[in-house]
């Protein structure tokens, strides 16, 4: 069995366990939902051929209406809409290019005026969420949907509110009808098309609704002639395992199911189902809040992180460290975070923690064995699980270790590389920005006025990364490395951003190398066990940059993928 096949078997076992837990504990039988689910499974049971991002973008631009399936708990599901919009809007303008209108299930149609006020900056975010009663009418992670409305604001896109409140049963109880919701949404879509016949309407709606005989059929019934439609499903489990059987799951992110129906494959089944479990667990936490000082400070997520630790170690053929000392806290555990920050961290460590959490990154605090998850992303959890493994394998060797700024920087880069590699074991669909992405960013903004602190920061990071990569190429040619003095004068923000960027790229290459048999798992084990004291961090980084040169990369740009 190859390394890749071994990894697939591990994923199959984990997915089976997750699905069993999900359906036994959270999912109740509902004939109407079961019918929708069966129709969706039938639609996504197999694919016709491999496709590309460019192909799907061209299909979007040529359609009257696009139905994009939304898996509400999966952040990547909402990000797909942003990536499609970005690709459509950067396409060279033509005389026949159509304006884009968005339609969102997340907001009830009765709140259209409130949505318009928010998009026009007449009310702020707090007032908007309160006015639409977001937590009760939708309740899924606001940050994942906020990026869509921010994008619409920035690009002046019209947004339709498409959801409807549940109807009342004969007993006066609220009873939601999926068919009724489709029907009401279809009327709004059809009315919008009649008023804007030249526009492409892109609808983000629950994935079970977008099967051909549900929302699309309801729209077809009331639009004459029928609109030219495109259906885009996301992350079909059946299609994923078919791609895995063909050895294609690592590199394929778009397939064509049939005419006018595609499927974006940017997340693994493990990631999809784990996102759902995370959401249910979070809801349970919110409904039954605990005082951390009176309870075990480990949250309900500690078992999940412990499972990730075991999985990563199993794949890398390492003995999993004990997790008795591990604490996992989320953004909700603010009192615990304040206590940790005040009682156990140095000022420098506290600054790093604060900066990472503000950037919605997560953080591992070594001297308390605490993982702080800024969000419930499986990528974040697996990355921090990898940091825990590295720490446990080296903690006895690094007591009282002090590093110069230069050595601390390359230690951080290698630490990020191990974190990213571990997260790829769990979710091989995770992408990082590559050198060409940073070059493209520099070219896009060179000579322009950078209007926000974030843009300025990313521009600085991009310049540093590109320059560092150039120095690496020179080292590979000459085997000589001149000390890069700029490393010693980085701000905390730039230190974190650059070490992440360089580390992620290296971790991605190392993961590819393991799958291709160029890097042995024993080499990765040794790296996890290495405390990387003194100049050893820089020397190891330079050695690894040489080792990965022959590794074939799955992708050259993150922005080329869905």
């Amino acid at each position: 069995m190859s390394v890749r096949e071994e990894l697939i078997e591990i994923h199959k076992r984990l997915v089976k366990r997750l699905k069993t837990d999900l359906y036994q504990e959270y999912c109740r039988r509902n004939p109407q939902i079961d019918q929708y689910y069966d129709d969706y499974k039938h639609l996504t049971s197999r694919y016709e051929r491999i496709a590309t991002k460019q192909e799907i973008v061209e299909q979007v631009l040529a359609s009257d209406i696009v139905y994009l399936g939304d898996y509400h708990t999966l952040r990547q599901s909402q990000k797909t809409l942003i990536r499609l919009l970005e690709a459509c809007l950067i396409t060279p303008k033509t005389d026949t290019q159509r304006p884009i209108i968005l339609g969102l299930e997340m907001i009830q149609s009765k709140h259209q005026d409130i949505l318009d006020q928010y998009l026009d900056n007449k009310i702020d975010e707090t007032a908007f969420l309160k006015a639409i009663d977001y937590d009760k009418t939708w309740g899924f992670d606001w940050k994942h949907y906020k990026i869509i409305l921010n994008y619409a604001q920035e690009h002046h896109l019209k947004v339709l509110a498409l959801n409807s409140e549940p109807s009342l049963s004969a007993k006066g109880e609220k009873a939601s009808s999926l068919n009724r919701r489709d029907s009401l949404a279809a009327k709004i879509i059809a009315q919008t098309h009649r008023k804007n016949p030249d526009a492409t309407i892109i609808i983000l709606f629950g994935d079970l609704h977008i099967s051909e005989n549900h929302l699309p059929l309801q729209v077809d019934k009331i639009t004459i002639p029928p609109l030219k439609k495109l259906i885009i499903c996301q992350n079909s489990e059946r299609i994923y395992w078919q791609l895995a059987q063909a050895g294609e799951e690592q590199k394929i992110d778009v397939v064509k199911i049939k005419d006018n129906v595609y499927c974006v494959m940017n997340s693994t089944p493990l990631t999809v189902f784990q996102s759902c479990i995370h959401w249910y667990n979070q809801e349970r936490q919110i409904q039954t809040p605990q005082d951390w000082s009176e309870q075990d400070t480990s949250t309900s997520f500690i078992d999940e992180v412990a499972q990730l630790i075991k999985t990563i170690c199993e794949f890398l053929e390492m003995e999993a460290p004990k997790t008795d000392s591990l604490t996992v806290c989320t953004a909700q555990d603010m009192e615990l975070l304040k206590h940790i920050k005040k009682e156990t961290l140095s000022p420098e460590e506290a600054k790093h923690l604060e900066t990472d959490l503000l950037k919605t990154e997560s953080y591992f605090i070594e001297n308390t064995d605490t993982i702080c998850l800024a969000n419930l992303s499986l990528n974040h959890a697996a990355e921090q699980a990898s940091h825990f493994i590295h720490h446990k394998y080296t903690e006895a060797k690094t007591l009282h270790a002090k590093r110069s700024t230069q050595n601390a920087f390359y230690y951080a880069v290698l630490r990020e590389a191990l974190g990213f590699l571990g997260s790829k074991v769990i979710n091989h669909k995770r992408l990082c920005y590559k050198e060409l992405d940073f070059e493209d960013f520099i070219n896009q903004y060179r000579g322009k006025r950078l209007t926000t602190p974030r843009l300025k920061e990313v521009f600085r990071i991009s310049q540093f990364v590109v320059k560092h990569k150039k120095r690496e190429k020179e080292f590979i040619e000459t085997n000589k490395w001149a000390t890069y003095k700029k490393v010693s004068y980085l701000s905390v923000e730039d230190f974190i951003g650059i070490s992440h960027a360089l580390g992620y790229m290296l971790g991605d290459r190392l993961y590819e190398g393991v799958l291709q048999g160029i890097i042995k798992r024993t080499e990765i084990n040794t790296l996890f066990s290495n405390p990387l004291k003194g100049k050893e961090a820089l020397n190891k980084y330079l050695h690894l940059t040489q080792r990965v040169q022959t590794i074939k990369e799955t992708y050259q740009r993150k922005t080329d993928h869905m």
Side-chain angles (χ1 to χ4, degrees):
M1 184 182 293
S2 70
V3 174
R4 189 194 65 80
E5 290 170 335
E6 187 178 331
L7 186 59
I8 289 296
E9 289 304 311
I10 291 173
H11 275 236
K12 283 183 177 178
R13 187 178 72 245
L14 291 175
V15 168
K16 183 178 181 180
R17 181 178 65 82
L18 277 180
K19 288 174 67 175
T20 300
D21 292 346
L22 186 61
Y23 295 140
Q24 285 182 350
E25 188 160 357
Y26 300 109
C27 298
R28 298 176 181 176
R29 299 288 297 180
N30 181 309
Q32 189 182 42
I33 293 177
D34 289 346
Q35 181 59 57
Y36 269 62
Y37 185 55
D38 288 343
D39 291 343
Y40 185 77
K41 284 199 300 185
H42 178 73
L43 178 65
T44 59
S45 60
R46 61 181 59 85
Y47 66 97
E48 180 182 293
R49 61 171 174 81
I50 303 301
T52 64
K53 178 181 178 181
Q54 183 57 37
E55 179 180 339
I56 208 170
V57 169
E58 291 171 358
Q59 291 290 323
V60 168
L61 291 171
S63 300
D64 296 316
I65 183 165
V66 178
Y67 302 95
L68 177 61
D70 182 28
Y71 196 89
H72 307 317
T73 61
L74 182 67
R75 188 182 185 189
Q76 286 296 328
S77 193
Q78 294 89 49
K79 279 189 169 183
T80 298
L81 175 58
I82 299 296
R83 295 185 184 113
L84 280 176
L85 292 171
E86 288 175 338
C88 290
L89 293 177
I90 65 171
T91 301
K93 293 288 188 291
T94 65
D95 293 339
T96 59
Q97 187 148 335
R98 312 166 73 168
I100 291 175
I101 297 174
L102 299 183
L104 301 179
E105 183 191 11
M106 60 173 281
I107 305 171
Q108 293 185 356
S109 58
K110 67 178 182 179
H111 294 140
Q112 182 67 55
D113 288 344
I114 300 169
L115 172 59
D116 292 340
Q117 291 177 50
Y118 177 66
L119 293 174
D120 291 338
N121 291 308
K122 294 179 180 178
I123 58 173
D124 63 16
E125 179 181 319
T126 302
F128 170 67
L129 294 177
K130 182 178 180 180
I132 67 172
D133 200 4
Y134 182 85
D135 287 338
K136 289 185 178 179
T137 60
W138 192 243
F140 296 100
D141 197 324
W142 161 242
K143 294 190 297 293
H144 299 174
Y145 291 90
K146 177 184 176 181
I147 60 172
I148 297 171
L149 296 183
N150 287 351
Y151 192 90
Q153 280 180 317
E154 182 181 351
H155 295 276
H156 309 291
L157 301 180
K158 171 69 176 174
V159 182
L160 307 175
L162 294 179
N163 210 346
S164 52
E165 58 186 338
S167 58
L168 293 177
S169 68
K171 296 181 180 180
E173 301 169 337
K174 287 188 174 180
S176 178
S177 164
L178 300 179
N179 186 68
R180 175 179 174 274
R181 287 166 58 194
D182 288 345
S183 178
L184 292 174
K187 291 178 182 177
I188 297 170
I189 294 166
Q191 290 169 0
T192 302
H193 172 69
R194 282 193 289 271
K195 295 177 181 178
N196 305 271
D198 297 327
T200 294
I201 305 174
I202 302 179
I203 306 299
L204 184 70
F205 223 84
D207 49 13
L208 300 188
H209 293 267
I210 67 166
S211 297
E212 293 164 301
N213 53 345
H214 295 299
L215 179 58
L217 179 61
Q218 295 277 16
V219 174
D220 286 347
K221 286 179 178 179
I222 53 178
T223 52
I224 301 174
L227 306 182
K228 182 177 180 182
K229 64 177 179 283
L230 175 68
I231 295 174
I232 304 175
C233 306
Q234 294 202 63
N235 300 308
S236 159
E237 183 189 1
R238 287 189 175 188
I239 290 176
Y240 178 86
W241 299 127
Q242 290 168 27
L243 288 170
Q245 188 172 7
E248 300 278 14
E249 84 290 345
Q250 297 282 334
K251 56 186 178 181
I252 301 303
D253 56 7
V254 180
V255 297
K256 180 179 179 181
I257 293 177
K258 60 181 181 178
D259 287 348
N260 302 318
V261 182
Y262 288 77
C263 189
V264 169
M265 302 295 298
N266 58 16
S267 296
T268 67
L270 180 61
T271 311
V272 172
F273 290 117
Q274 189 72 62
S275 76
C276 194
I277 291 284
H278 276 167
W279 184 79
Y280 277 121
N281 283 342
Q282 187 179 32
E283 286 296 292
R284 179 179 291 171
Q285 270 198 322
I286 292 171
Q287 292 167 11
T288 56
Q290 296 178 340
D291 179 351
W292 73 270
S293 62
E294 297 177 359
Q295 303 287 339
D296 181 350
T297 55
S298 298
T299 71
S300 60
F301 302 106
I302 193 167
D303 291 338
E304 296 173 28
V305 174
Q307 181 62 50
L308 295 178
I309 291 168
K310 290 178 182 177
T311 302
I312 293 167
C313 288
E314 177 187 353
F315 175 70
L316 295 176
E317 299 177 330
M318 301 171 64
E319 183 178 351
K322 293 182 179 179
T323 57
D324 299 350
S325 61
L326 178 63
T327 296
V328 180
C329 61
T330 68
Q332 293 177 21
D333 304 314
M334 291 309 298
E335 291 303 317
L336 173 57
L337 286 174
K338 288 176 185 177
H339 174 77
I340 291 171
K341 184 176 175 181
K342 180 180 179 181
E343 301 294 335
T344 64
L345 298 184
S346 68
E348 183 180 0
E349 290 171 326
K351 176 65 174 175
H352 275 257
L353 170 61
E354 182 179 325
T355 302
D356 264 345
L357 294 180
L358 283 173
K359 291 175 179 290
T360 67
E361 297 290 345
S362 296
Y363 197 83
F364 174 60
I365 304 172
E366 292 186 351
N367 60 358
T368 60
D369 284 353
T370 300
I371 290 176
C372 302
L373 295 176
N375 64 57
L376 300 182
S377 155
L378 186 62
N379 292 339
H380 282 229
E383 185 175 334
Q384 302 311 317
S386 301
H387 292 326
F388 176 83
I389 296 167
H390 177 238
H391 171 62
K392 283 302 180 183
Y393 265 83
T394 61
E395 63 179 336
K397 307 172 189 176
T398 55
L399 287 175
H400 312 298
K402 292 185 178 181
R403 296 182 173 88
S404 68
T405 304
Q406 286 271 337
N407 295 332
F409 175 76
Y410 289 102
Y411 171 78
V413 171
L414 289 173
R415 187 172 176 271
E416 296 302 333
L418 291 175
F420 194 82
L421 185 153
S423 72
K424 290 280 286 189
V425 171
I426 300 300
N427 176 25
H428 66 78
K429 289 289 186 179
R430 189 182 190 189
L431 304 177
C432 67
Y433 288 106
K434 296 298 188 81
E435 185 177 355
L436 290 178
D437 290 301
F438 291 108
E439 289 179 1
D440 290 345
F441 186 84
I442 291 170
N443 292 332
Q444 180 182 355
Y445 287 98
R446 181 182 281 118
K448 295 181 180 178
R449 183 171 175 267
L450 302 176
T451 55
T452 67
R454 180 58 179 161
L455 271 179
K456 294 176 183 177
E457 180 186 339
V458 175
F459 194 81
R460 290 194 309 272
I461 291 171
S462 299
Q463 287 181 311
F464 193 105
V465 168
V466 170
K467 194 168 291 185
H468 200 281
K469 285 296 175 183
K470 182 180 179 181
R471 291 169 65 89
E472 290 175 27
K473 293 183 180 76
E474 292 170 353
F475 166 75
I476 291 168
E477 292 174 0
T478 66
N479 205 33
K480 295 180 181 179
W481 179 264
T483 301
Y484 198 19
K485 294 182 179 180
K486 282 190 175 182
V487 168
S488 300
Y489 303 100
L490 295 173
S491 66
V492 171
E493 291 79 6
D494 288 357
F495 184 102
I496 291 173
I498 294 165
S499 60
H500 271 73
L502 293 175
Y504 282 14
M505 282 189 273
L506 177 59
D508 192 64
R509 294 290 289 272
L510 290 173
Y511 171 81
E512 296 282 1
V514 170
L515 290 194
Q516 294 170 30
I518 297 172
I519 304 290
K520 301 298 182 183
R521 280 181 279 189
T522 52
E523 294 181 66
I524 303 300
N525 298 354
T526 302
L527 194 56
F528 267 99
S529 304
N530 193 334
L532 300 166
K533 295 180 180 179
K535 292 184 178 180
E536 191 175 4
L538 171 59
N539 293 335
K540 178 60 69 173
Y541 178 77
L542 294 175
H543 169 71
L544 291 173
T545 58
Q546 291 177 315
R547 289 281 286 119
V548 301
Q549 290 307 301
T550 59
I551 294 170
K552 184 179 179 182
E553 295 188 90
T554 300
Y555 64 102
Q556 297 297 316
R557 283 182 174 88
K558 180 179 181 181
T559 50
D560 289 339
H561 289 261
M562 296 300 299

